[in-house]
Amino acid sequence: MAKSAESFKLPLVYSIGIHAAIAAVLLVSFEFTSPEPTPMQVNLDQSEMDPQPEEIVNAVSVDKAAVERQVQRIKDQKAAERRAEQQRIQELERKAAEARKAREREQQRLEQIAEQQKQEEQQAAEARKRAQQAKKEAEQLAEQRRKEEQAAKQAAERRAQAEREAEEAARKAEEERKQREAERKRREEEERQRRLAAEREAQLQKEMEEERQRRSAARRRQVLSELEKYQALIQQTIQRNWNVDDSMSGKSCELTISLAPSGFVKSVTTGAGDPAVCRSAENAVLKATTLPVSEDPEVYQQMSTIKLTVKPQL
């Protein structure tokens, strides 16, 4: 009997634990869903108060499955509520964005209307200003006509006096006309002479400039020819002092040489090229000590720092 009591005691403990879990789940479900309370029906049948071992095991299994279903239902309900809340928030955000865009469009429309009204006011002000100006000009023109009419009347009154003086005035006017004509011809002749002198001066300046350009071009050609000649002489001097071998065939080196007016090599630097060829070429320049340099100052100025690309002549 003791052994049978122990076998009943263990399933009973599991059953109590499962019922406690169900109570907790139902409490959570009530908190979120708030369902109407359902009265619990308790059956105090003796068979339930003293269950057999097989019935207790079945009850534990059934209660655990019910708990899992209840938990899953709560999870699904929460997930549905979250999705619904997200959709509601998204809809609110969409409506807020549409409202904001509508406000922006309305603000832009109002600004355009204000700008149009401003332009219309400016145009109206300009039109008023033009009307005032036109009125002022019309008044001035009327005043001018009145003065002209008055002057014409006065001229008519003086016409009789003028007719008596007309002959004398005509004679003096003719003399003045002849004098003005003579003065005009004299000024035209002076202007023609000045124009001819300016043309001769311009032609002379043009011829002098052309001559200067011809001499400058000839000098440039001479300098370039001298540069080419001395570059060739420097190349020959380097080749004479250069120790080369077959490994340098087809290779080259760029040299930058600074020369004194006497031809003395002040410095030599190497640029792009084969390192061995560059070292050998630099030694050849230093070995030469002096290189051919033109005595012409302008030519020397062009070759005081000279750049060469040297290749061994094998």
Side-chain angles (χ1 to χ4, degrees):
M1 291 295 294
K3 184 176 182 181
S4 177
E6 289 292 329
S7 62
F8 288 145
K9 184 178 180 180
L10 185 59
L12 184 59
V13 171
Y14 282 115
S15 177
I16 293 171
I18 293 298
H19 280 81
I22 291 172
V25 171
L26 291 175
L27 180 60
V28 173
S29 175
F30 293 155
E31 183 178 356
F32 286 97
T33 60
S34 301
E36 292 295 329
T38 303
M40 182 180 292
Q41 297 180 357
V42 180
N43 190 350
L44 299 179
D45 188 83
Q46 183 63 33
S47 61
E48 291 182 0
M49 295 295 294
D50 189 16
Q52 295 299 318
E54 292 81 0
E55 293 177 353
I56 292 175
V57 172
N58 292 333
V60 171
S61 300
V62 170
D63 291 344
K64 184 177 181 180
V67 169
E68 291 177 352
R69 286 193 301 272
Q70 180 68 8
V71 170
Q72 185 61 40
R73 185 183 66 78
I74 294 171
K75 288 181 179 180
D76 294 342
Q77 183 178 359
K78 289 183 179 180
E81 291 175 353
R82 284 195 297 271
R83 287 194 297 272
E85 180 65 17
Q86 290 176 356
Q87 291 177 356
R88 187 179 68 82
I89 292 172
Q90 290 176 355
E91 180 64 18
L92 291 175
E93 290 177 349
R94 183 185 66 79
K95 291 181 178 179
E98 291 179 353
R100 183 172 60 256
K101 291 181 179 178
R103 287 196 302 274
E104 292 175 354
R105 288 194 297 270
E106 180 63 17
Q107 181 65 24
Q108 185 177 6
R109 187 181 69 81
L110 293 176
E111 290 176 355
Q112 291 176 351
I113 292 173
E115 180 64 22
Q116 185 177 359
Q117 291 176 349
K118 182 179 178 181
Q119 293 178 358
E120 291 175 352
E121 290 174 357
Q122 291 177 351
Q123 292 174 358
E126 292 175 357
R128 288 193 298 271
K129 184 177 180 180
R130 288 195 297 270
Q132 293 174 357
Q133 183 66 23
K135 180 180 178 182
K136 183 178 179 180
E137 292 176 354
E139 292 175 351
Q140 291 176 350
L141 181 59
E143 179 64 19
Q144 183 179 359
R145 287 178 178 175
R146 186 186 65 79
K147 291 180 178 179
E148 289 176 352
E149 290 173 356
Q150 184 178 0
K153 182 179 180 180
Q154 293 174 355
E157 293 173 353
R158 292 192 298 268
R159 187 173 297 116
Q161 179 70 22
E163 289 177 354
R164 292 189 297 269
E165 300 173 354
E167 185 177 353
E168 182 65 20
R171 183 184 63 81
K172 291 181 179 181
E174 182 64 19
E175 290 179 356
E176 291 176 356
R177 186 190 66 78
K178 290 179 180 180
Q179 291 176 358
R180 288 196 299 270
E181 183 66 18
E183 180 65 18
R184 183 184 64 78
K185 290 181 178 180
R186 184 184 64 79
R187 286 197 301 268
E188 288 180 353
E189 180 63 20
E190 290 178 352
E191 181 63 24
R192 188 179 69 83
Q193 292 296 332
R194 283 196 297 270
R195 187 169 59 254
L196 291 175
E199 290 175 355
R200 287 194 296 269
E201 179 67 19
Q203 182 64 26
L204 180 61
Q205 291 292 336
K206 180 179 178 182
E207 292 174 356
M208 291 174 63
E209 178 63 19
E210 291 176 350
E211 179 63 21
R212 188 189 66 78
Q213 291 180 358
R214 284 195 296 271
R215 290 181 181 180
S216 178
R219 179 59 179 165
R220 286 196 298 271
R221 288 194 298 271
Q222 181 183 0
V223 170
L224 290 175
S225 178
E226 286 287 302
L227 282 173
E228 291 175 355
K229 181 180 77 173
Y230 279 96
Q231 285 179 354
L233 292 174
I234 290 172
Q235 288 272 15
Q236 293 174 5
T237 303
I238 293 172
Q239 292 294 336
R240 285 197 302 271
N241 291 276
W242 197 354
N243 294 324
V244 298
D245 54 46
D246 294 340
S247 64
M248 300 180 182
S249 177
K251 299 176 182 179
S252 63
C253 179
E254 293 182 357
L255 298 177
T256 301
I257 306 170
S258 179
L259 299 172
S262 62
F264 177 75
V265 178
K266 294 192 294 184
S267 66
V268 57
T269 56
T270 59
D274 182 78
V277 173
C278 288
R279 287 193 299 272
S280 178
E282 181 181 4
N283 291 333
V285 173
L286 296 175
K287 182 179 178 182
T289 307
T290 59
L291 296 175
V293 176
S294 174
E295 296 180 357
D296 188 328
E298 188 174 353
V299 177
Y300 167 73
Q301 185 67 27
Q302 296 291 328
M303 62 182 301
S304 59
T305 300
I306 187 169
K307 291 185 178 182
L308 299 172
T309 299
V310 296
K311 295 182 180 180
Q313 294 180 359
L314 301 175

